[in-house]
Amino acid sequence: MKQNIMNFKNTIYTLLITIIFTACSTDSTDNNPIDDNGIITEETKELNRKNVGESANDLLSDDTYKSVVFEIFYVKDHKPTDETIANFKSFITERLNKSKGWEIRLEEITVPAKSAYTIDDIKAMENNLRTQYNTINKVAVFGIYLDAEYADNTPEGSVLGVAYQNTSFAIFENTVKQFSNKPLAPSKTVLSSTVLQHEICHLLGLVNAGTDMQTLHQDTAHGKHCNIENCLMYWTAETGEGLLNSITGGNIPTLDAQCIADLQANGGK
């Protein structure tokens, strides 16, 4: 069981945090996903269906795409708080090197009632909902806030968020709410902000998953995570149980200097 859980962590980087990006390019032809008629085809959509971390440089740097768009859907009554979005805006402004900036689009959706979601369920929802894909002028990120738990939760770990494709993430907001209601727990905004930023960092290639390490700081025993305990990318941010133990003083954890150096070396700030 423990080995299965670890294999899952190493594959899709289950996490507590998460949101996503879309970037713009003005002069790239090799990465141009639009056909001659300006239509996004099923073939070009595959650029947004790669492995987590493969678009790290596209999201971080200004080399190919000059801007990014985050398309975020949320099930009714599970919208991220205004404070969570404000925290996310500050985070991406600090880390993404985009000369033409970024855009966040939020949209409410209604879905059939479910008790749990699998990764296949989430991918199917993305395929039906997503409208923003990479173009010659932008890189696009898809995010979704869900109303039920992750299907592969265990008694030892309740997953709060997952980064499951190169520009795709999901937040199990109902689970976030449940943990924020526990005695002495941080606010929902702090928990949700932590999960969102953590998952985005997996899309940005941390740790050693598309963005090369400048110094050795990967906690290989816990997959693609940092070995610094107070870092945003420490492994305890994987589950609600771990996150409650890792947040001190009710503050959102920040990236440590080694993670920031990795992002900067890959074109970020």
Side-chain angles (χ1 to χ4, degrees):
M1 173 65 74
K2 290 183 179 179
Q3 185 61 45
N4 289 338
I5 293 173
M6 183 57 64
N7 289 341
F8 169 75
K9 289 179 179 178
N10 289 337
T11 302
I12 63 170
Y13 319 138
T14 61
L15 298 167
L16 303 166
I17 320 167
T18 210
I19 262 186
I20 287 183
F21 301 51
T22 306
C24 298
S25 167
T26 57
D27 56 4
S28 171
T29 56
D30 293 340
N31 293 293
N32 184 356
I34 305 299
D35 69 11
D36 292 339
N37 296 314
I39 303 299
I40 299 176
T41 66
E42 284 300 315
E43 180 179 1
T44 59
K45 289 179 181 179
E46 293 302 314
L47 291 174
N48 294 98
R49 295 170 180 170
K50 298 180 180 181
N51 294 328
V52 174
E54 287 193 32
S55 292
N57 180 260
D58 289 338
L59 291 167
L60 285 164
S61 78
D62 204 43
D63 294 342
T64 301
Y65 301 107
K66 307 300 182 186
S67 67
V68 59
V69 56
F70 297 92
E71 184 179 36
I72 301 174
F73 295 88
Y74 59 92
V75 177
K76 185 178 180 180
D77 298 326
H78 291 79
K79 181 180 180 181
T81 66
D82 291 342
E83 293 85 355
T84 296
I85 295 301
N87 292 335
F88 180 66
K89 290 177 178 179
S90 296
F91 182 79
I92 59 179
T93 299
E94 290 175 356
R95 298 293 158 226
L96 302 189
N97 191 7
K98 296 300 178 187
S99 59
K100 296 193 180 295
W102 44 262
E103 176 186 3
I104 297 176
R105 302 182 182 183
L106 292 167
E107 183 174 341
E108 180 180 300
I109 57 173
T110 301
V111 297
K114 290 179 67 71
S115 60
Y117 290 96
T118 66
I119 291 299
D120 286 342
D121 291 335
I122 298 169
K123 286 182 177 179
M125 295 176 72
E126 176 180 354
N127 291 340
N128 288 329
L129 291 168
R130 185 168 185 159
T131 67
Q132 298 297 306
Y133 293 88
N134 293 2
T135 71
I136 58 173
N137 293 316
K138 70 183 179 184
V139 57
V141 174
F142 170 90
I144 188 167
Y145 279 69
L146 296 167
D147 59 339
E149 67 180 20
Y150 181 55
D152 285 353
N153 280 349
T154 70
E156 296 78 25
S158 303
V159 174
L160 301 182
V162 292
Y164 59 92
Q165 290 182 148
N166 60 324
T167 60
S168 304
F169 71 93
I171 305 295
F172 301 98
E173 186 70 358
N174 194 56
T175 306
V176 172
K177 288 181 179 180
Q178 292 173 9
F179 276 91
S180 68
N181 288 329
K182 292 181 178 294
L184 303 179
S187 69
K188 185 171 80 72
T189 291
V190 169
L191 286 178
S192 185
S193 295
T194 302
V195 174
L196 173 59
Q197 292 174 28
H198 182 99
E199 299 302 335
I200 290 302
C201 282
H202 279 299
L203 297 183
L204 300 181
L206 293 176
V207 173
N208 199 28
T211 290
D212 293 338
M213 293 185 295
Q214 302 306 296
T215 57
L216 296 178
H217 64 105
Q218 181 184 0
D219 182 359
T220 54
H222 295 100
K224 307 298 184 180
H225 292 103
C226 183
N227 60 13
I228 303 301
E229 289 189 15
N230 62 353
C231 179
L232 174 65
M233 297 309 293
Y234 193 61
W235 70 271
T236 53
E238 281 282 339
T239 63
E241 293 83 355
L243 187 58
L244 290 184
N245 292 329
S246 66
I247 292 179
T248 58
N251 296 318
I252 303 167
T254 59
L255 290 174
D256 81 302
Q258 294 176 101
C259 282
I260 293 174
D262 293 349
L263 297 181
Q264 290 174 339
N266 199 21
K269 295 179 181 178

